[in-house]
């Protein structure tokens, strides 16, 4: 009964996080934008994924939980602390994903503050110049109760609720499309770019591992290349979350 009640509470908090904004923010970007994000630091995202982005002159945002670095997941090998540093030095953005990869809705104010502080301390122990400006919700679960707190810590928070961001948006619950072979077709990628172009929107993708045989939540280099080609064809700049936020605020 307690577990059921707890999960019901989590769902309500997530739904409220989705629908109740802390603050309205109107995107003021001059052109449509696209951001590629990767969660949980699979080794292949930090190597192949970053290489593919760089071959298009682009950079991505990598949402890292310090506590998971070097710990292999069931679906992929994990990147290392050296990968985090290398990504940062190559111009990619390192974002916060809590230290322990715990859902925001399971954390009270004190424990979320501790998770964020511990992750920042970890990143700064690797490189004190690493800015940590943006956040992605672990498992995609938002928390209405924690949105004000996250707003005071980060420029943006990324969800996994699908959609293209345009007009008035919720910076503490930005929408994102899966760049995941099992969930996303090339046609839907093209439609998302068309929508971003028509609405002057901000299209955000999220993925995990990058492999020829994609994992359950990952993408193939082909799917990633398809999205990057679509961006190039439409002249949509590929920006990190922090860069895109700065353009959106202009
Ligand atoms: Zn994650």
């Amino acid at each position: 009964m307690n577990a059921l009640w707890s999960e019901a509470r989590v769902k309500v908090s997530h739904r409220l996080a989705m629908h109740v904004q802390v603050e309205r923010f109107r995107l003021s970007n001059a052109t449509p934008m696209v951001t590629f994000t990767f969660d949980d630091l699979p080794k292949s995202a930090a190597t192949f994924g970053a290489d593919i982005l760089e071959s298009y002159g682009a950079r991505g945002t990598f949402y890292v939980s310090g506590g998971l670095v070097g710990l292999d997941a069931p679906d992929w090998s994990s990147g290392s602390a050296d990968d985090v540093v290398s990504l940062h030095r190559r111009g990619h953005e390192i974002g916060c994903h809590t230290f322990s990869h715990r859902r925001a809705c399971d954390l009270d104010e004190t424990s979320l503050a501790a998770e964020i502080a511990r992750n920042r301390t970890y990143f700064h122990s690797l490189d004190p110049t690493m800015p940590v400006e943006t956040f992605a919700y672990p498992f995609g679960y938002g928390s209405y109760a924690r949105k004000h707190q996250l707003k005071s810590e980060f420029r943006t928070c990324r969800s996994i609720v699908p959609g293209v961001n345009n007009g008035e948006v919720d910076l503490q619950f930005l929408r994102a499309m899966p760049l995941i072979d099992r969930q996303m077709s090339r046609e839907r990628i093209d439609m998302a770019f068309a929508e971003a172009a028509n609405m002057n929107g901000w299209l955000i993708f999220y993925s995990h591992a990058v492999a020829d045989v994609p994992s359950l939540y990952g993408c193939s280099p082909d799917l990633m290349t398809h999205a990057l080609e679509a961006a190039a064809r439409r002249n949509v700049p590929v920006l990190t979350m922090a860069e895109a936020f700065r353009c959106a605020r202009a």
Side-chain angles (χ1 to χ4, degrees):
M1 193 63 192
N2 279 341
L4 274 178
W5 163 244
S6 172
E7 279 311 293
R9 183 185 54 75
V10 159
K11 289 208 173 88
V12 168
S13 182
H14 175 68
R15 292 238 170 89
L16 278 172
M18 192 186 316
H19 295 298
V20 184
Q21 295 187 208
V22 170
E23 179 188 54
R24 290 174 190 280
F25 180 88
R26 182 161 283 282
L27 295 178
S28 305
N29 39 299
T31 69
M33 314 183 286
V34 61
T35 301
F36 289 78
T37 69
F38 294 89
D39 292 4
D40 305 341
L41 197 72
K43 181 83 178 173
S44 60
T47 54
F48 305 143
D51 287 346
I52 294 169
L53 285 169
E54 288 173 29
S55 73
Y56 283 82
R59 299 293 184 273
T61 297
F62 292 77
Y63 286 108
V64 177
S65 291
L68 298 187
V69 174
L71 296 181
D72 290 342
D75 283 345
W76 58 72
S77 303
S78 171
S80 64
D82 286 346
D83 290 317
V84 177
V85 174
S86 167
L87 285 168
H88 166 60
R89 297 205 174 142
R90 290 153 68 186
H92 298 279
E93 177 188 9
I94 303 299
C96 183
H97 201 38
T98 74
F99 182 81
S100 307
H101 203 256
R102 291 176 65 195
R103 301 185 302 187
C105 48
D106 293 331
L107 300 168
D108 62 16
E109 187 173 352
T110 307
S111 51
L112 179 60
E115 285 280 341
I116 294 168
R118 198 170 171 201
N119 220 28
R120 279 192 202 280
T121 301
Y122 172 73
F123 293 144
H124 291 157
S125 75
L126 302 178
D127 184 332
T129 69
M130 202 180 289
V132 186
E133 299 178 271
T134 71
F135 180 86
Y137 291 100
F139 302 102
Y141 274 90
S143 162
Y144 176 63
R146 300 277 71 80
K147 280 178 87 176
H148 276 97
Q149 187 180 0
L150 288 165
K151 176 174 161 22
S152 71
E153 295 270 4
F154 301 105
R155 304 286 198 192
T156 63
C157 300
R158 197 217 67 208
S159 77
I160 58 167
V161 172
V164 177
N165 303 282
N166 69 77
E168 225 167 56
V169 302
D170 185 348
L171 288 177
Q172 278 69 52
F173 206 86
L174 287 169
R175 290 171 182 267
M177 303 293 261
L179 190 65
I180 295 174
D181 287 64
R182 302 235 188 155
Q183 298 179 27
M184 194 66 165
S185 66
R186 282 154 181 72
E187 292 71 30
R188 283 183 62 210
I189 288 175
D190 295 340
M191 282 165 61
F193 272 100
E195 188 179 341
N198 290 338
M199 310 290 284
N200 195 40
W202 179 9
L203 171 58
I204 301 170
F205 288 114
Y206 69 95
S207 195
H208 296 84
V210 181
D212 288 328
V213 179
S215 62
L216 197 52
Y217 300 108
C219 69
S220 59
D222 279 358
L223 195 71
M224 205 183 151
T225 301
H226 182 86
L228 283 158
E229 285 289 339
R233 208 164 45 240
R234 292 176 177 275
N235 263 331
V236 176
V238 181
L239 304 171
T240 66
M241 290 295 294
E243 287 167 347
F245 168 74
R246 280 189 271 278
C247 291
R249 200 178 46 175

